[in-house]
């Protein structure tokens, strides 16, 4: 084989479908590849034929020009696929296995990985702990919004689905295991959600919706979701959440009081990150808005889960401090209320196997919660624009038509019954 098509970042506001090299088990030079990673041999890796790969809000930060991502960077860190080639050092993963690829790249050997802190692996990114596919300053591992991708450390990282037919039947749910379902769940766990909790989720994008669904799975009594876009709030209401329109009403506590009878919740989740907007009709970009608001409405002693992305370099920020990730946060308020803050990438492997079982049993309905929408690789540029415009959809790219074929087969079977 020699062909491979992928979604490539071109410049702010523009991505395109490009022909790229077919992967092999070496990390070769290319846009965004750390020079110290060039030539890295990956006999412990596999080549995956991509069944599904999703557009993520984190990708949008790069596409908007809000990072230092170079032109030509292959995007995509949410990958599910079929193993079609295994390296000589791979023992347990076999050709034909259908697998979920955690977006964190992790070696399984370093002290962090041995503690299940796979989000801060110490051996895969020469710049700092932590890495991901197709992302700026993450070591340069090639992204998976493509037809084929190389995955290193396969025996350690890959989550193999137990049954191929069952996996394809549930693929729209299972595709969320590479990132947003564990990320939303991590946000809820970090916030201390338990039976009876009242929970506020800032942001009704896919991660916020995944966090809200996760809070329900963990036993929350009330989940309140706040956003500026009514279409996204309608999606949150579709699976039983209360909602707050922050464009129409800027006082979060007042709206929470109307729902709960008190202006506070037990715990809160920031699923927005550094491109946050101020509340109200005229709210412009205000990157500390969410962090300050959730401190204000979370009870004393509560926990704040922060899966929303914050960066150390934001060339599109409105002021010099924000350009380097320095925000005007009311940390004194958090200190006075004895809040616990949990930040950073999600250690996907800590959660994905349990969440897989919740999906396969029918307990979790994550594809429905985030409005999974299947598109072709060629439709990805238009879908990036739609997502950037606030569309309440989780776009799932189907590079080989395998999902569409399965869906058509299932539809035909239903007709003939």
């Amino acid at each position: 084989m020699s062909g491979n098509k992928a979604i490539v970042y071109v410049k702010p506001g523009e991505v395109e479908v490009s022909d790229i090299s077919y992967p092999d088990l070496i990390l070769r030079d290319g846009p965004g590849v750390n020079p110290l990673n060039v030539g890295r041999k990956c006999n412990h890796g596999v080549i995956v034929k991509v069944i599904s790969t999703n557009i993520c809000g984190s990708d949008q930060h790069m596409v908007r020009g809000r990072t230092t991502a170079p032109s030509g960077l292959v995007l995509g860190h949410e990958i599910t696929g079929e193993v079609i080639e295994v390296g000589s050092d791979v023992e347990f993963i076999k050709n034909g296995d259908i697998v979920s690829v955690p977006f964190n790249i992790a070696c399984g050997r370093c002290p962090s990985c041995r503690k299940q802190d796979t989000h801060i692996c110490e051996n895969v990114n020469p710049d700092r702990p932590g890495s991901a596919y197709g992302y700026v300053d993450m070591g340069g591992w090639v992204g998976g919004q493509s037809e084929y991708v190389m995955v290193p450390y396969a025996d350690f990282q890959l989550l193999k689905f137990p049954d191929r037919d069952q996996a394809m039947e549930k693929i729209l749910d299972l595709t969320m295991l590479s990132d947003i379902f564990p990320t939303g769940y991590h946000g809820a766990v970090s916030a201390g959600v338990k039976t009876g909790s009242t929970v506020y989720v800032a942001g009704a994008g896919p991660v916020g919706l995944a966090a809200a669904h996760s809070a329900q799975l963990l036993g929350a009594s009330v989940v309140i979701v706040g956003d500026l876009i009514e279409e996204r709030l309608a999606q949150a209401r579709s699976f039983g959440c209360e909602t707050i329109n922050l464009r129409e009403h800027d006082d979060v506590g007042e709206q929470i009081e109307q729902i709960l009878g008190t202006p506070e919740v037990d715990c809160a989740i920031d699923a927005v990150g550094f491109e946050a907007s101020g509340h109200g009709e005229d709210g412009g970009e205000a990157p500390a808005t969410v962090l300050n608001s959730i401190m204000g409405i979370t009870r004393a002693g509560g926990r704040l889960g922060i899966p929303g992305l914050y960066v150390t370099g934001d060339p599109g920020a409105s002021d010099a401090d924000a350009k380097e990730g320095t925000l005007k946060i009311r940390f004194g308020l958090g200190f006075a209320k004895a809040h616990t803050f949990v930040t950073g990438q999600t250690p996907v492997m800590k959660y994905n196997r349990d969440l897989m079982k919740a999906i396969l049993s029918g307990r979790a309905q994550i594809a429905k919660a985030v409005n999974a929408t299947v598109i072709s690789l060629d439709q990805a540029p238009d879908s990036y624009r739609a997502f950037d415009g606030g569309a309440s959809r989780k776009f799932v790219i189907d590079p080989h038509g395998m999902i569409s074929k399965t869906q058509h087969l299932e539809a035909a079977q239903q007709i003939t019954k």
Side-chain angles (χ1 to χ4, degrees), residues 327-342:
L327 309 181
K328 295 180 180 178
I329 298 169
R330 294 187 64 197
F331 191 74
L333 175 61
F335 182 90
K337 297 179 77 172
H339 284 156
T340 297
F341 300 76
V342 181

Side-chain angles (χ1 to χ4, degrees), residues 184 187-188 191 193 199-203 211-212 215 267-271 290 294 304-307:
V193 178
V199 185
Y200 175 68
V201 180
C267 41
I269 302 166
D270 173 2
V290 172
I294 62 176
L304 311 178
I306 308 173

Side-chain angles (χ1 to χ4, degrees), residues 12-14 55-57 59-66 206 229 232 275 380-393 395:
E14 184 177 336
I55 297 176
C56 179
D59 298 320
Q60 288 284 21
H61 294 307
M62 291 188 291
V63 174
R64 292 186 190 117
R66 299 301 296 267
I229 300 174
R232 291 184 167 188
E275 285 193 72
D382 287 339
S383 299
Y384 263 99
R385 286 188 285 271
F387 189 30
D388 190 46
S392 185
R393 297 173 182 271
F395 288 106

Side-chain angles (χ1 to χ4, degrees), residues 243-264:
T243 61
I244 292 173
N245 189 318
L246 297 170
R247 183 72 71 199
E248 298 176 357
H249 307 283
D250 60 4
D251 191 322
V252 180
E254 181 180 297
Q255 293 187 82
I256 287 175
E257 186 171 21
Q258 292 176 3
I259 296 169
L260 299 177
T262 175
E264 289 188 327

Side-chain angles (χ1 to χ4, degrees), residues 224-397:
I224 304 169
V225 180
D227 200 279
L228 302 165
I229 300 174
E230 181 56 36
E231 180 185 348
R232 291 184 167 188
L233 293 173
Q235 181 62 28
R237 288 193 294 271
S238 75
F239 60 95
C241 298
E242 300 285 345
T243 61
I244 292 173
N245 189 318
L246 297 170
R247 183 72 71 199
E248 298 176 357
H249 307 283
D250 60 4
D251 191 322
V252 180
E254 181 180 297
Q255 293 187 82
I256 287 175
E257 186 171 21
Q258 292 176 3
I259 296 169
L260 299 177
T262 175
E264 289 188 327
V265 291
D266 295 321
C267 41
I269 302 166
D270 173 2
V272 177
F274 74 103
E275 285 193 72
S277 296
H279 301 158
E281 188 64 37
D282 301 319
E285 187 166 312
T289 295
V290 172
L291 293 172
N292 287 328
S293 66
I294 62 176
M295 283 189 280
I297 54 90
T298 302
R299 66 170 178 81
R303 298 173 63 92
L304 311 178
I306 308 173
L309 176 65
Y310 289 87
V311 295
T312 56
D314 175 9
S318 58
D319 62 69
D321 285 339
K323 286 181 188 295
E324 60 178 23
T326 301
L327 309 181
K328 295 180 180 178
I329 298 169
R330 294 187 64 197
F331 191 74
L333 175 61
F335 182 90
K337 297 179 77 172
H339 284 156
T340 297
F341 300 76
V342 181
T343 67
Q345 286 187 34
T346 297
V348 169
M349 292 178 67
K350 191 174 288 186
Y351 307 109
N352 62 354
R353 188 172 299 276
D354 289 340
L355 293 176
M356 175 188 72
K357 291 188 288 187
I359 288 170
L360 295 179
S361 70
R363 179 79 175 92
Q365 303 286 333
I366 186 64
K368 180 180 178 182
V370 302
N371 195 16
T373 303
V374 179
I375 60 171
S376 69
L377 202 64
D378 289 336
Q379 291 173 308
D382 287 339
S383 299
Y384 263 99
R385 286 188 285 271
F387 189 30
D388 190 46
S392 185
R393 297 173 182 271
K394 178 64 173 178
F395 288 106
V396 178
I397 301 172

